[in-house]
């Protein structure tokens, strides 16, 4: 085999690897993993990955791959508790987690507002979303989760267009300590400082995809 042939084959393999990775991610999403216990994601999260609000299953489509991978690993090692997700994640290999996370990140999702201008809050819930309440050590949600709750990196997922029931459940899990996989226990402190009414209102606010402007 000539040096040119080796270069051509190597180039073809480099192009083939991402495609194979994407195919594996699609298979995990639609059919499940190699282990039969790793059931297809779409069964609970919908064929479009946008979640099932009535059942409290969150949107996965469009979430950052790094965030999704971290959550699946946390479910797998028990750092994050959920009776449905823990056995499913435990049945996934590292390669499958990376593949399905990458696939989900590329799936279409509703766009969150990306308005970075200084805003005036027109309601108490918008005040909390934009600016928080520093007298209680509550930062504005968008200060960590990005404009409109669009999400930032591995630790701050999108809030916009997530089901209100899911957001409420997660805030309550931070409050009662059943969820604790946040960096420096930031969310635990924030959630515990919020009232029941504020938890419900902020969940509904972001579920509706509210723009952070009057």
């Amino acid at each position: 085999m000539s040096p040119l042939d080796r270069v051509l084959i190597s180039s073809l393999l480099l192009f083939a690897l991402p495609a194979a990775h994407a195919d594996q991610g699609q298979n995990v999403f639609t059919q499940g993993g190699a282990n039969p216990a790793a059931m297809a994601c779409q069964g609970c999260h919908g064929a479009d990955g946008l979640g099932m609000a009535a059942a409290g299953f969150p949107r996965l489509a469009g979430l950052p791959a790094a965030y999704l991978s971290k959550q699946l690993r946390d479910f797998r090692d028990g750092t994050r508790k959920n009776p449905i997700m823990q056995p499913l994640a435990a049945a996934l290999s590292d390669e499958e987690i990376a593949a399905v996370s990458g696939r989900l990140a590329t799936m279409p999702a509703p766009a969150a507002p990306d308005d970075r201008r200084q805003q005036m809050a027109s309601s108490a819930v918008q005040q909390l979303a934009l600016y928080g309440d520093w007298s209680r050590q509550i930062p504005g949600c968008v200060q960590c989760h990005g404009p409109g709750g669009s999400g930032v990196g591995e630790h701050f997922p999108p809030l916009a267009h997530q089901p209100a029931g899911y957001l409420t459940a997660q805030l309550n899990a931070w409050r009662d300590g059943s969820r604790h996989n946040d960096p420096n226990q930031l969310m635990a402190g924030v959630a515990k400082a919020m009232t029941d009414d504020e938890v419900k209102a902020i969940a509904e606010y972001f579920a509706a995809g509210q723009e952070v402007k009057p």
Side-chain angles (χ1 to χ4, degrees):
M1 183 182 296
S2 71
L4 179 59
D5 289 336
R6 292 192 185 95
V7 170
L8 288 173
I9 290 172
S10 297
S11 298
L12 289 171
L13 287 172
L14 286 174
F15 282 109
L17 285 173
H21 195 67
D23 288 345
Q24 183 183 31
Q26 178 68 13
N27 286 341
V28 173
F29 178 72
T30 58
Q31 302 172 32
N35 185 328
M39 295 184 290
C41 309
Q42 70 172 9
C44 292
H45 297 278
D48 52 9
L50 295 179
M52 295 185 183
F57 295 123
R59 166 171 74 90
L60 302 181
L63 271 64
Y67 173 78
L68 292 167
S69 292
K70 180 183 185 302
Q71 299 311 304
L72 285 169
R73 292 193 301 270
D74 287 352
F75 281 128
R76 187 172 63 180
D77 65 22
T79 307
R80 182 175 176 184
K81 308 289 186 183
N82 181 278
I84 297 174
M85 283 304 306
Q86 282 179 263
L88 297 181
L92 290 170
S93 67
D94 287 337
E95 185 179 4
E96 288 172 329
I97 285 176
V100 74
S101 297
R103 175 68 187 102
L104 287 164
T106 66
M107 292 175 67
D114 189 18
D115 196 330
R116 299 172 188 269
R117 298 170 298 173
Q118 188 75 7
Q119 304 288 338
M120 291 294 293
S122 61
S123 66
V125 66
Q126 193 174 53
Q127 175 72 29
L128 200 62
L130 285 170
Y131 303 116
D133 182 349
W134 286 104
S135 70
R136 293 182 285 157
Q137 299 300 306
I138 302 175
C141 305
V142 302
Q143 292 170 5
C144 292
H145 290 272
S150 54
V152 178
E154 178 179 351
H155 295 294
F156 302 105
L159 305 178
H161 303 290
Q162 285 288 17
Y166 173 75
L167 294 175
T168 298
Q170 297 314 300
L171 284 167
N172 284 330
W174 296 120
R175 295 169 87 193
D176 66 22
S178 58
R179 182 172 178 183
H180 48 79
N181 66 330
D182 54 329
N184 302 318
Q185 293 293 284
L186 173 63
M187 275 306 305
V190 170
K192 287 176 182 177
M194 295 172 68
T195 67
D196 291 344
D197 287 343
E198 286 172 336
V199 166
K200 181 176 183 293
I202 207 74
E204 291 174 350
Y205 179 85
F206 282 107
Q210 294 288 340
E211 295 194 15
V212 287
K213 57 186 179 183

